[in-house]
Amino acid sequence: MDFSTVNWLAVIVAAVMAWLFGAAWYMGLSKPWLKAAKLDPATMKRSAVPFIVSFVAELVMALVMTLVVGALTGGEPNPLAGVIFGFVLWLGFVATTLSVNHRYEGFGWDLTLIDAGHWLGVLIIIGAVIGWFGAPAAPAG
C-alpha cells in the first residue's frame, strides 16, 4: 500500500466534515434516536469519549476511502467516484452490519434507519471530499 498517494489534507477535511455532519444529524434526531436506542438521558453518563472515538473512526474511514478511491480510479479521484464508492461501501458493509447487529440486539428498524442514514451521509461526504481534493500534488523537483 502506497501512502505517498494519500492527500492528508483531504483526509483531515473529510473527517472534520463528516464529524460535523454527525453532530448535526444526531442533534436533529436526538429524541427519536434516544427512544429507538432505549436510552434515558437522565441516567446517561456525560463523556467526551464517544465524540473522540467517532472523530478517530472518521479519520480512519477517510484514510481508507482515499486508498480505495485512489486505487480504483488509477490515482485520479473525482467527486462522483468518491460519492459512488461511499455509497457502495455503505451498502456493502455499514447498512448490512447495522441491520444484523440491531436485530440481534433487539432494536427496532427505527434505530437502524437513523444510524444507517448517519453513516450513509458520512461516507458520501468523505467520498465527495476525497474526490474533490483529488490526488496530492506531485513534489516540485
Side-chain angles (χ1 to χ4, degrees), residues 11-136:
V11 169
I12 293 167
V13 170
V16 168
M17 296 297 292
W19 191 87
L20 290 172
F21 167 77
W25 180 265
Y26 283 110
M27 282 174 43
L29 293 171
S30 62
K31 287 182 182 178
W33 181 81
L34 286 166
K35 182 180 177 188
K38 302 174 185 170
L39 295 171
D40 179 5
T43 61
M44 293 172 59
K45 293 181 182 177
R46 308 276 187 238
S47 172
V49 172
F51 301 100
I52 295 166
V53 169
S54 64
F55 182 71
V56 170
E58 286 157 354
L59 276 171
V60 171
M61 288 179 171
L63 174 60
V64 170
M65 182 78 77
T66 299
L67 296 170
V68 168
V69 172
L72 296 175
T73 60
E76 295 297 327
N78 61 72
L80 180 59
V83 167
I84 290 169
F85 288 121
F87 175 78
V88 169
L89 292 172
W90 170 83
L91 182 63
F93 297 103
V94 178
T96 55
T97 301
L98 285 175
S99 296
V100 171
N101 285 359
H102 286 170
R103 299 304 68 77
Y104 279 107
E105 295 165 349
F107 292 111
W109 284 101
D110 48 351
L111 181 63
T112 305
L113 292 173
I114 292 169
D115 287 346
H118 162 252
W119 290 115
L120 174 60
V122 163
L123 286 168
I124 286 178
I125 288 167
I126 289 173
V129 170
I130 296 302
W132 181 60
F133 271 73

